[in-house]
Amino acid sequence: MRMDSTSGLSFRAMQEAGKTDPTIASRVALFEHRVPEEFYDFENDPDALNNLIADPRYKDQIEVMRNLLLDQMERTEDPAEQAFCERTAPTAFDEFMKQQQARTLGE
């Protein structure tokens, strides 16, 4: 996943350090290969290293957050709404990204 935080000197230094430090290597991998959804307990995991999205203990809280996000996406006519609603479909994200790229290029 390309983003500003992976384009600079700091990230390149992390990549280099990850060649010899497994902890840094795992953090680099997280930045390079994000998952569609993440849910963290920042009080107990302030560095957001343990994604709890699949933990059944948080199912109700995750559903509340999903609904809040969907409400916001609907109110703001977020173009990612459909991709969010279809987030478990393997091609939904890819299709959304193709649409965004075409939109950016003015196609």
Side-chain angles (χ1 to χ4, degrees):
M1 176 175 207
R2 297 283 301 152
M3 61 189 119
D4 288 342
S5 61
T6 60
S7 299
L9 295 174
S10 296
F11 190 70
R12 284 194 288 268
M14 285 179 62
Q15 288 174 310
E16 189 61 33
K19 292 177 182 177
T20 58
D21 185 324
T23 301
I24 295 174
S26 68
R27 191 66 170 173
V28 167
L30 175 65
F31 274 102
E32 291 178 329
H33 308 284
R34 300 303 292 227
V35 294
E37 287 188 290
E38 298 174 56
F39 188 81
Y40 297 99
D41 177 353
F42 288 112
E43 188 173 303
N44 296 308
D45 180 19
D47 295 323
L49 299 175
N50 183 26
N51 186 1
L52 301 169
I53 197 69
D55 189 322
R57 295 176 294 172
Y58 298 95
K59 180 182 176 190
D60 292 341
Q61 288 175 278
I62 291 167
E63 194 59 33
V64 166
M65 298 306 288
R66 284 177 178 152
N67 289 329
L68 287 170
L69 178 58
L70 183 57
D71 288 346
Q72 178 67 13
M73 293 175 97
E74 289 170 351
R75 277 195 307 279
T76 61
E77 298 179 9
D78 190 318
E81 180 184 346
Q82 183 176 351
F84 174 73
C85 290
E86 298 174 7
R87 65 191 166 278
T88 58
T91 59
F93 181 74
D94 291 338
E95 182 60 33
F96 170 73
M97 293 307 293
K98 286 178 191 172
Q99 292 170 0
Q100 294 307 299
Q101 186 176 29
R103 188 172 146 209
T104 301
L105 297 173
E107 296 174 2

